[in-house]
Amino acid sequence: MHHEHNWLRGSYITLLKSLDRDRTSRDDFIINSIELIDNETNQLVAGEVGYSIGSVYTSLSGFSSKEKKHNNSGTLQMVLLAQYLDEKGFSFWNMGHPYMEYKKKLGSITYDREAFLQKYLIAISKSTIHLKET
């Protein structure tokens, strides 16, 4: 899915930067940049911005190349990220808005608000898992 404009801007980006700088209020809030690079060209072909708290990773906004050579690179990035989060021991991946069809195709589960919050509050109280550069 390609969008003409990214919603991740303005006061929201200012807030994220502020949270990333101010580790005194929540030292377990970590902003992450996930990138899928074409090894042949060293070109960025897909990725996303998200954050982790405790053992929860939350996606904010993703992107992928429109070039035919990199068809499905966004899906590949998400599948590889899911595997990586599992290997690192994350409790779950919060993919955000449940109405997007591609999330359902990837196997996402939609919880009602109460069930989600129960799961979320337990998972964010665990030790923060750090994603490392690879």
Side-chain angles (χ1 to χ4, degrees):
M1 174 180 261
H2 299 281
H3 302 282
E4 188 174 327
H5 301 287
N6 185 335
W7 64 270
L8 196 57
R9 56 190 164 154
S11 59
Y12 198 89
I13 209 71
T14 301
L15 171 64
L16 288 174
K17 287 178 179 178
S18 172
L19 288 168
D20 191 47
R21 280 190 303 269
D22 181 16
R23 297 279 180 198
T24 57
S25 60
R26 264 211 94 101
D27 64 353
D28 59 351
F29 177 86
I30 302 167
I31 295 176
N32 299 287
S33 171
I34 310 299
E35 301 168 352
L36 181 64
I37 307 291
D38 180 328
N39 282 337
E40 292 177 6
T41 64
N42 205 29
Q43 178 184 2
L44 176 65
V45 296
E48 68 175 73
V49 174
Y51 64 89
S52 50
I53 299 176
S55 66
V56 177
Y57 175 77
T58 300
S59 290
L60 292 175
S61 187
F63 60 91
S64 61
S65 172
K66 293 181 182 181
E67 291 181 31
K68 189 167 183 79
K69 175 184 177 187
H70 300 115
N71 197 26
N72 296 317
S73 60
T75 300
L76 175 61
Q77 178 264 310
M78 293 179 77
V79 168
L80 293 172
L81 176 57
Q83 291 173 348
Y84 188 71
L85 294 174
D86 188 49
E87 289 169 10
K88 296 292 282 183
F90 278 80
S91 295
F92 69 96
W93 176 5
N94 176 6
M95 297 177 86
H97 301 291
Y99 62 85
M100 296 176 169
E101 191 61 33
Y102 75 91
K103 294 176 185 180
K104 293 176 188 173
K105 288 181 180 178
L106 288 170
S108 67
I109 299 169
T110 302
Y111 294 93
D112 64 50
R113 183 163 178 76
E114 185 176 325
F116 172 80
L117 287 174
Q118 282 183 326
K119 186 176 177 78
Y120 183 79
L121 291 173
I122 291 168
I124 65 167
S125 68
K126 294 181 179 179
S127 294
T128 297
I129 300 172
H130 294 267
L131 297 175
K132 67 174 189 165
E133 288 186 27
T134 56

